[in-house]
Amino acid sequence: MRKFHAAAVGADEMQDINTYAVVLAERHDGTGMRLEIQKSLSFDDQDQANGMDTYCLCTESGACHYGGVTRWMVGENSIEVLLDEQASSALGVDGGFHVEVSGQYLPTLREALQRLLGT
């Protein structure tokens, strides 16, 4: 499990690039360990044909993977995103992410993760 404390947390809908994204970064300037979860606001036939009609997970290394979340949870001061074997391998993590965050971000993260990942 990759663990870090996110000093920077953001969730935003960016219509100009057809994306909704959540970013958790270790440092305020966005550097260090990072987990990004992105999803297009709409999908086209090519997205569907290529299996890209779902959310995408990305890390600071540039590794990305579509799908693969088996479970996610929002705790008292953290979130956990558990991954299947294929996603873990593609992202270079062992099983998923445990990210500590300030409690003020938890309502936003709960709503954002529900929107991106579902139940």
Side-chain angles (χ1 to χ4, degrees):
M1 179 89 43
R2 176 181 267 189
K3 297 179 181 185
F4 67 96
H5 174 81
V9 177
D12 199 11
E13 182 174 297
M14 299 160 282
Q15 292 195 7
D16 58 325
I17 59 170
N18 190 42
T19 302
Y20 182 75
V22 169
V23 179
L24 300 126
E26 186 176 21
R27 297 189 190 105
H28 288 286
D29 65 359
T31 61
M33 286 189 257
R34 189 172 66 243
L35 171 62
E36 298 178 29
I37 307 171
Q38 310 168 10
K39 188 175 184 180
S40 290
L41 300 175
S42 61
F43 301 104
D44 60 24
D45 293 338
Q46 185 177 2
D47 294 330
Q48 292 171 341
N50 291 319
M52 300 167 78
D53 56 342
T54 188
Y55 57 87
C56 181
L57 306 166
C58 302
T59 67
E60 72 282 352
S61 71
C64 294
H65 184 77
Y66 285 87
V69 173
T70 59
R71 186 172 165 212
W72 63 271
M73 298 156 283
V74 176
E76 289 185 28
N77 288 304
S78 65
I79 67 160
E80 281 193 4
V81 178
L82 305 179
L83 305 175
D84 65 21
E85 198 171 302
Q86 188 177 12
S88 292
S89 177
L91 297 172
V93 300
D94 186 19
F97 296 87
H98 177 94
V99 184
E100 295 177 7
V101 295
S102 172
Q104 68 186 5
Y105 297 117
L106 294 175
T108 299
L109 287 171
R110 185 175 285 111
E111 182 180 318
L113 293 173
Q114 177 68 42
R115 179 175 176 178
L116 290 165
L117 305 175
T119 55

